[in-house]
Amino acid sequence: MLSDRMNEALCQQANRELYSSYLYLSMSYYFESIDMLGFAHWMRLQAAEELVHTMRMLDYVAGSGGRARMLAVEAPQFSWSSPLQAFQHVWDHERTVTGLILALVRVAEEEKDAATGQFLEWYVKEQVEEEESSDGVLSQVKAAGEDRSALVEADRKLGERRFKFPKGFEMFPYSGSA
Ligand code: FEO
């Protein structure tokens, strides 16, 4: 059974994950508007991953005797001055999310909630991967600099990204979170 504080903290984090999804979807349409469809594709997959992060967390709340509560989602930024600025934003954002996840781990410790602490290990690992992948993409875009053909090549490469659900997570059909 989750404490009220743990329940609330998980719902708040689920909201930040959903905001991340919304932010990356916003970036996806920004890239579509400047005809960089590989980058748009990459961001769309990133948005889908964040939706999985959101639902996985809310499923955990519901399956642990808590109550999954939806909170208002902030409107994300709408436009960026360049691909580099957008990918820098991704990198900064992921670093912020890592800090939020680590703060959530501390709440679990303070609440003496070992089960939630164990559940959050997946998110801690996921953040390591998210930081690595956003750093890798940022480096590619930085390396391309003002060279249009290098940017087109980076766009093509990012367009090859494929989506994978995390092991054991089912979005459809939904059979309950317990
Ligand atoms: Fe779910 Fe990228 O943080």
Side-chain angles (χ1 to χ4, degrees):
M1 184 74 184
L2 295 172
S3 68
D4 288 349
R5 181 182 176 216
M6 195 73 252
N7 193 137
E8 180 61 18
L10 288 163
C11 290
Q12 291 280 355
Q13 183 58 33
N15 176 268
R16 295 320 289 164
E17 300 289 342
L18 192 54
Y19 170 76
S20 301
S21 181
Y22 217 22
L23 173 66
Y24 295 142
L25 199 55
S26 183
M27 288 183 181
S28 179
Y29 289 117
Y30 156 70
F31 281 124
E32 189 178 324
S33 77
I34 59 168
D35 292 326
M36 306 222 73
L37 297 183
F39 291 163
H41 168 82
W42 192 92
M43 288 296 177
R44 202 173 169 90
L45 261 63
Q46 193 71 11
E49 277 197 0
E50 299 297 353
L51 183 59
V52 168
H53 295 176
T54 308
M55 291 170 81
R56 198 175 187 274
M57 194 162 281
L58 294 172
D59 283 356
Y60 174 77
V61 172
S64 305
R67 186 70 173 85
R69 194 161 72 86
M70 307 301 115
L71 306 168
V73 184
E74 182 189 336
Q77 190 172 327
F78 171 70
S79 191
W80 289 264
S81 61
S82 64
L84 178 59
Q85 199 207 21
F87 283 109
Q88 182 68 54
H89 190 166
V90 175
W91 162 242
D92 293 340
H93 182 69
E94 287 302 332
R95 301 257 298 173
T96 302
V97 173
T98 298
L100 294 173
I101 294 290
L102 296 178
L104 201 51
V105 169
R106 283 196 293 276
V107 174
E109 284 166 4
E110 285 163 17
E111 293 296 298
K112 304 198 185 332
D113 186 341
T116 299
Q118 201 172 31
F119 167 73
L120 290 172
E121 280 173 16
W122 183 86
Y123 284 85
V124 173
K125 279 195 205 122
E126 183 68 9
Q127 279 314 118
V128 172
E129 285 177 23
E130 295 260 287
E131 284 196 21
E132 265 174 23
S133 90
S134 57
D135 186 40
V137 173
L138 179 59
S139 300
Q140 281 182 53
V141 176
K142 263 189 188 155
E146 300 295 309
D147 180 348
R148 179 74 195 166
S149 62
L151 211 51
V152 166
E153 177 55 16
D155 181 66
R156 189 195 63 72
K157 268 178 89 185
L158 264 60
E160 291 172 352
R161 183 179 179 186
R162 295 291 168 260
F163 183 79
K164 272 196 296 210
F165 279 107
K167 240 166 122 186
F169 178 84
E170 276 179 31
M171 192 177 271
F172 314 111
Y174 184 60
S175 53
S177 49

